[in-house]
């Protein structure tokens, strides 16, 4: 008998793809952002976190099946990141 977490993981694999593949793609995308900040000797800031969340969703899109929630989440993170960056650029 599987527990709720096993059932959830099985369900998510259908829309997000295999976890190891998604995580590997995701970390490669995240490393681009982290390495860029390091090259400029800067710390990640709030709007960078929005970018990281967008990259997480992109990894799910690349590795999984169509799920409109991923696209809606990207739009939401983009709006929030834009708002944060605009407010911090004054």
């Amino acid at each position: 008998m599987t527990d709720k977490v096993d059932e959830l993981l099985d369900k998510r694999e259908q829309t997000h793809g295999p976890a190891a593949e998604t995580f590997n793609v995701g970390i490669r995308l995240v490393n681009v952002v982290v390495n860029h900040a390091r090259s400029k000797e800067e710390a990640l800031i709030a709007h960078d976190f929005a970018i990281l969340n967008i990259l997480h969703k992109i990894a799910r899109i690349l590795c999984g099946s169509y799920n409109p929630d991923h696209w809606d989440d990207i739009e939401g993170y983009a709006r929030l990141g834009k708002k944060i960056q605009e407010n911090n650029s004054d």
Side-chain angles (χ1 to χ4, degrees), residues 2-51:
T2 61
D3 64 13
K4 286 188 222 181
V5 174
D6 287 332
E7 291 174 14
L8 179 63
L9 292 174
D10 289 343
K11 184 177 177 182
R12 293 295 184 263
E13 187 169 335
Q14 294 173 20
T15 57
H16 298 25
E21 179 184 0
T22 303
F23 292 171
N24 280 319
V25 169
I27 198 62
R28 286 193 298 260
L29 294 170
V30 166
N31 278 330
V32 171
V33 175
V34 171
N35 290 334
H36 177 71
R38 283 183 184 159
S39 73
K40 295 170 64 177
E41 297 183 6
E42 295 177 355
L44 295 178
I45 56 177
H47 76 268
D48 292 325
F49 193 71
I51 293 168

